Amino acid sequence: MPYTSDVAAAEALTNSYQKLKNEISKVVIGQDETVRLLLTAIFCQGHCLLVGVPGLAKTLLIQTIAGALDLDFNRIQFTPDLMPSDILGSETLDQERNFKFIKGPVFANIILADEINRTPPKTQSALLEAMQEYAVTIAGQKYGLGRPFFVLATQNPIEQEGTYPLPEAQLDRFMFNIYLDYPSYQSELDIVKSTTSDQRYEVQRVITGEEIREFQHLVRRVPVVDNVVEYAVKLVHKTRPNTEMAANDANQYLEWGAGPRASQALILASKCNALLNGKYSPDIEDVRAVALPILRHRVVRNFKAEAEGISVEQLIKRML
């Protein structure tokens, strides 16, 4: 949908965001911050990893967001016996004995990768090319994926038996690592009342794939002043131990710091955060608002930090 100006497009984005929030809140109660980050990632063309204990509506939240977007949606339940071909698709012989490619569930706009850490690295890596290149390669043939394309993955942090931690290279491809906490007492009261009645809420589709693509381009056109870019890049450099700009905490407690993808994600997400708040350019507060979910999965603690019980979140907050 063409807009008369970028200002008109920015206002349309803000309105669409409010409509999406209203539709999602019909089904999902009390996850406002998580919804904001998920929608920010979608408007920035990024992928998300949701980490939380069972029963916090991770899957329901992603399904609800998919329902509010006029896009193709597929859910993949990751299990220990899942093979790469189960995700990407495979070649089979047709009636004329010619090879024909049967597309797998990855060929959709939104992929819910449920319990992604339940499957071995071989299958986890099948998503890597799709997430980064927006294409998959089968038998030497490259197949492009439709746009927009998002991988929204869930992970259960409690059970460690029979799970395979995601490799750092794949974690780095997720724009946000979002932790879901237990709901507040009031929110849980509302959840119980809502889910134990016979009332069903229909989520309306409020935004199309074409509009999402337009908003993705708009986010990238948002101007950023140099001091905001410098703040974001300095923040990432602070996390890198034994480098010129490393923070004391990084030297003491971190094994590895964040890479350049973190700097790119900080600026993109801060641009979108500014637009969602009715601003036309991000400031340092916008960078700080998105820093924690961008950095928490990109830095690795050392033994000293683990022994002293210092969390990644505490270290990032100190650097902020």
Side-chain angles (χ1 to χ4, degrees):
M1 185 187 295
Y3 296 99
T4 53
S5 67
D6 281 351
V7 171
E11 288 171 357
L13 171 58
T14 308
N15 291 336
S16 296
Y17 170 64
Q18 292 301 331
K19 287 179 186 173
L20 280 168
K21 276 209 316 181
N22 292 340
E23 287 300 314
I24 293 162
S25 65
K26 289 179 183 177
V27 178
V28 180
I29 297 166
Q31 296 282 13
D32 295 344
E33 178 66 8
T34 304
V35 169
R36 182 182 70 84
L37 290 171
L38 277 167
L39 294 178
T40 297
I42 285 172
F43 292 133
C44 292
Q45 203 172 332
H47 310 290
C48 281
L49 179 65
L50 277 79
V51 181
V53 299
L56 296 185
K58 299 185 294 295
T59 303
L60 176 66
L61 173 58
I62 293 170
Q63 288 176 328
T64 305
I65 287 176
L69 304 173
D70 192 12
L71 298 171
D72 291 334
F73 169 71
N74 278 334
R75 172 182 175 175
I76 306 170
Q77 185 67 50
F78 281 74
T79 56
D81 60 348
L82 199 72
M83 297 298 288
S85 58
D86 296 329
I87 297 173
L88 306 179
S90 57
E91 288 195 322
T92 59
L93 285 170
D94 62 15
Q95 290 176 329
E96 285 77 37
R97 300 190 66 78
N98 296 317
F99 279 108
K100 181 184 178 184
F101 177 60
I102 306 296
K103 291 181 178 180
V106 78
F107 286 86
N109 299 118
I110 299 180
I111 304 298
L112 165 52
D114 219 352
E115 295 199 277
I116 192 170
N117 58 329
R118 288 248 169 263
T119 203
K122 181 180 179 181
T123 307
Q124 289 174 0
S125 65
L127 274 180
L128 269 179
E129 185 184 10
M131 290 169 66
Q132 188 64 29
E133 306 295 334
Y134 299 98
V136 298
T137 305
I138 305 290
Q141 182 72 33
K142 200 165 191 172
Y143 299 91
L145 297 169
R147 301 287 191 94
F149 175 76
F150 315 105
V151 173
L152 306 177
T154 70
Q155 187 172 316
N156 175 0
I158 296 178
E159 297 173 53
Q160 296 307 317
E161 195 174 327
T163 62
Y164 304 83
L166 283 141
E168 275 68 27
Q170 186 159 348
L171 278 174
D172 195 36
R173 282 163 170 80
F174 286 102
M175 184 176 198
F176 290 137
N177 181 346
I178 305 170
Y179 274 19
L180 274 75
D181 209 348
Y182 292 110
S184 66
Y185 174 73
Q186 187 56 52
S187 293
E188 193 159 346
L189 275 179
D190 295 337
I191 290 166
V192 171
K193 288 175 184 175
S194 169
T195 55
T196 55
S197 71
D198 197 32
Q199 194 168 6
R200 292 287 175 267
Y201 297 99
E202 285 293 320
V203 175
Q204 303 296 317
R205 294 182 183 271
V206 296
I207 185 169
T208 65
E210 185 185 346
E211 287 172 315
I212 290 172
R213 286 194 295 272
E214 183 67 38
F215 292 147
Q216 287 173 344
H217 290 301
L218 171 70
V219 167
R220 289 181 172 269
R221 292 198 300 271
V222 170
V224 190
V225 293
D226 284 348
N227 73 303
V228 174
V229 180
E230 288 164 9
Y231 176 81
V233 175
K234 278 178 186 172
L235 178 59
V236 173
H237 272 257
K238 279 183 185 179
T239 69
R240 297 172 184 168
N242 306 315
T243 59
E244 189 182 343
M245 300 175 74
N248 283 334
D249 280 334
N251 289 331
Q252 281 193 71
Y253 297 116
L254 292 181
E255 192 80 34
W256 297 102
R261 277 201 192 99
S263 302
Q264 296 166 331
L266 281 170
I267 292 303
L268 264 181
S270 65
K271 286 182 177 188
C272 185
N273 195 68
L275 289 177
L276 296 184
N277 289 309
K279 298 185 289 187
Y280 300 121
S281 181
D283 53 28
I284 285 171
E285 284 308 307
D286 291 302
V287 177
R288 291 165 65 91
V290 296
L292 192 58
I294 285 174
L295 294 175
R296 66 154 57 101
H297 58 300
R298 290 184 163 97
V299 299
V300 180
R301 292 180 301 163
N302 61 18
F303 178 75
K304 185 181 179 184
E306 290 180 27
E308 294 182 18
I310 297 172
S311 69
V312 166
E313 285 82 358
Q314 287 173 309
L315 293 171
I316 294 169
K317 284 173 182 174
R318 286 186 202 173
M319 292 177 201
L320 283 169

